[in-house]
Amino acid sequence: MRIGVYTPRVKHPKPGVASGGRILVPQLIDGLRALGHEVEYVSRVGTYDFWRGRVTAQELAIEALAVRERMERFDPDGWLVYGASTTYPDLFGWWLRPRRYVHVNTGIDEGSRLDESWRRLFAAAHRESLACADAVLAFRWKTADLLRAAGVSEAKLRVLPPAVEAGGDLPPADAARRRFGLPQDAPIALCVGRFTEARADGRPWKTEWLLELVELFAGAGLPDDALLVIAGDGGGRGRIEAKIGELDAS
């Protein structure tokens, strides 16, 4: 099969950048190609680029016409859209009426970060896109509930959490605790993630969530031997370590 892939929000792979979409989309494409499918990016211009001011409305319209020409030549049997939402709709696919049209990791939101003049257009485009889809795959049950409430039919809605390949046999809990020098009987809460910094628009991101988690854990009145184990790395690691040191000293 020939498959077109479009990511209206996720940026394409960059060296040293390991965000979720930059990992999952290339793996999705590699997996499809390994199965013998021919895969082509629909466009490297996203609605993200538009509402962040990186492309103009005229450039977006020109790209839409270019997409139509490219896809007419490629003649895809299927079209996969990854990570679309009201704020980041697929403006290229649904009106071309591909033979098979599938949303992966799609979402629904109010588009509150968009200017009012564009919010209605983007919301309408996302509704049409979902209505034209043959299947809509959400990563979370909560997202599926929101999509269902927005009118996505049960027949096309699926929940498909990202799969994680386990690295061989997992050790029993007592062996894992010994390996990391953790007490055998203490209650432990484990948090694994990337310690990312604030987004470009200033909104909080994962480091802020972890800082809040550390403070809540410290003040939750848990047993004295309860432990919070945080695993991960990233630009916000120093802030998390500083917060832990501050709480230890208080």
Side-chain angles (χ1 to χ4, degrees):
M1 292 179 64
R2 293 180 301 276
I3 301 173
V5 174
Y6 181 54
T7 60
R9 174 177 180 176
V10 179
K11 310 311 290 181
H12 296 281
K14 290 182 180 179
V17 179
S19 63
R22 295 186 198 271
I23 296 172
L24 292 175
V25 173
Q27 288 183 345
L28 173 64
I29 291 174
D30 288 345
L32 291 170
R33 286 173 173 162
L35 292 172
H37 302 298
E38 184 179 354
V39 183
E40 183 174 309
Y41 276 116
V42 169
S43 174
R44 293 182 181 270
V45 175
T47 44
Y48 178 92
D49 299 303
F50 169 70
W51 71 259
R52 294 299 295 273
R54 294 172 182 170
V55 298
T56 65
Q58 182 179 10
E59 289 170 331
L60 196 63
I62 291 172
E63 178 63 14
L65 295 176
V67 166
R68 182 175 65 181
E69 293 180 3
R70 286 197 297 272
M71 290 301 102
E72 284 179 351
R73 292 194 300 269
F74 184 52
D75 191 25
D77 301 293
W79 185 302
L80 295 182
V81 181
Y82 180 94
S85 66
T86 307
T87 304
Y88 308 98
D90 175 18
L91 300 180
F92 299 147
W94 57 272
W95 56 276
L96 294 177
R97 295 296 191 268
R99 295 186 185 94
R100 293 288 185 273
Y101 185 54
V102 176
H103 276 274
V104 179
N105 188 26
T106 194
I108 197 83
D109 61 82
E110 297 178 355
S112 58
R113 285 181 286 157
L114 298 169
D115 291 337
E116 179 64 31
S117 56
W118 292 105
R119 191 180 306 162
R120 293 181 181 178
L121 173 62
F122 276 32
H126 193 47
R127 285 196 302 270
E128 288 292 333
S129 180
L130 293 174
C132 292
D134 295 286
V136 178
L137 280 62
F139 278 3
R140 301 174 180 85
W141 290 104
K142 180 179 179 181
T143 305
D145 290 339
L146 294 173
L147 290 165
R148 194 178 291 111
V152 177
S153 70
E154 204 69 44
K156 68 171 65 173
L157 186 59
R158 302 286 187 275
V159 178
L160 187 66
V164 177
E165 183 178 358
D169 295 333
L170 294 176
D174 57 346
R177 289 183 180 232
R178 283 195 298 271
R179 177 178 176 183
F180 293 104
L182 299 171
Q184 289 294 324
D185 299 324
I188 295 176
L190 172 65
C191 178
V192 180
R194 298 191 314 275
F195 309 152
T196 52
E197 293 291 4
R199 309 184 206 205
D201 58 9
R203 293 189 303 131
W205 197 221
K206 295 177 181 177
T207 295
E208 280 68 28
W209 299 346
L210 286 167
L211 291 170
E212 183 178 356
L213 172 63
V214 169
E215 287 193 347
L216 288 172
F217 191 89
L222 297 172
D224 291 340
D225 61 344
L227 295 176
L228 172 62
V229 177
I230 300 176
D233 205 350
R237 176 170 178 167
R239 295 176 61 198
I240 297 171
E241 292 175 340
K243 174 61 69 174
I244 294 171
E246 173 188 321
L247 292 170
D248 282 343
S250 63

